[in-house]
Amino acid sequence: EAQVTQNPRYLITVTGKKLTVTCSQNMNHEYMSWYRQDPGLGLRQIYYSMNVEVTDKGDVPEGYKVSRKEKRNFPLILESPSPNQTSLYFCASTRLAGLNEQFFGPGTRLTVL
Amino acid sequence: RKEVEQDPGPFNVPEGATVAFNCTYSNSASQSFFWYRQDCRKEPKLLMSVYSSGNEDGRFTAQLNRASQYISLLIRDSKLSDSATYLCVVNLNTGGFKTIFGAGTRLFVKA
C-alpha cells in the first residue's frame, strides 16, 4: 500500500529535550516536506526536500532541522524544543514532475511543556 | 497580507444546497493550484487540481482565473459527508518548490 508514515503519532515532552519525528514514504517520491498546523493559521511549510541531500527552508524553519540521506526518509529534528513548537505536524511527499498531489502522513501531535 | 487568502468560515448550509468557496493568491510565481479537504485534524487529502480551463468532478467544480489571481470551488447538492475544512493550496515555482496553504474554510452541512 502506497503511504507516508510518521512516528510517533503523539508526543509530550519538556522544553530543551531533543527529539526527532520520523517520516517515511514508499512511493519513490523525490519531493518531501514538513508542515505544522496551528488553529487559525492553517498549514505552514517548515522545510522541504527536492531530492536526496537537497533541502530548503519553507516559511517557518526556525527551531527545526531536517536531513535527507535516503530518498524514502525525511526526519524532522527539534534540537531544543520550546512550548511555541507545540503543534500538529504533517509530513508529505510527491513526485516532482508536474508538481502533483502531495500525499500526507497521518500527523504527529506534539506538546512541549 | 497572507499569500493565500480564503473566505472566512464557517459555512452552515442545508443538505442539497450549492456552496461556493473563494480563494485569492498574491504571488505571481504561483504555478499550480489545488483544493484539499481535511476532516477533523486528520491529514489533508486532495479534492481536485485546479486548471484555467476549469474542471469538474461530479458535484465539484473548480476554476482558476490567473489574471485576477482567484481560485474557486463550487459544491452542488451538498451532502452531510461534505462537512469538512476545505483548503486552497498554491505551489510556487521559486527555483524550489514551496507550497502555501490557505487557512481553510469550514463547511457544515446539516440535515
Side-chain angles (χ1 to χ4, degrees), chain A residues 31 35 37 39-43 45 48 50 57-59 88 90 94 96 99-102 104-106 109, chain B residues 2-3 31-32 34 36 38 41-46 87 91 93-103:
Chain A
Y31 177 91
Y35 300 89
Q37 186 172 30
L41 296 177
L43 278 85
Q45 193 169 38
Y48 64 93
M50 294 179 68
K57 296 178 181 179
D59 286 332
L88 178 59
F90 289 105
T94 188
L96 266 184
L99 299 178
N100 284 312
E101 168 187 7
Q102 292 189 46
F104 284 81
R109 188 171 294 280
Chain B
K2 293 180 181 177
E3 286 195 81
Q31 183 164 345
S32 54
F34 307 87
Y36 279 72
Q38 186 176 27
R41 303 297 268 177
K42 292 194 171 181
E43 72 271 25
K45 292 185 178 177
L46 181 70
L87 306 171
N91 285 336
N93 182 359
T94 56
F97 177 173
K98 287 184 70 173
T99 301
I100 310 293
F101 280 74

Side-chain angles (χ1 to χ4, degrees), chain A residues 25-71:
Chain A
Q25 51 94 3
N26 61 2
M27 296 168 278
N28 202 35
H29 287 162
E30 298 89 2
Y31 177 91
M32 297 184 74
S33 181
W34 276 103
Y35 300 89
R36 61 177 290 173
Q37 186 172 30
D38 303 289
L41 296 177
L43 278 85
R44 293 178 293 167
Q45 193 169 38
I46 303 171
Y47 270 95
Y48 64 93
S49 169
M50 294 179 68
N51 217 321
V52 176
E53 303 291 2
V54 181
T55 63
D56 210 344
K57 296 178 181 179
D59 286 332
V60 288
E62 295 78 19
Y64 304 95
K65 285 175 58 177
V66 292
S67 69
R68 188 90 182 274
K69 294 185 171 59
E70 306 165 281
K71 199 171 187 179

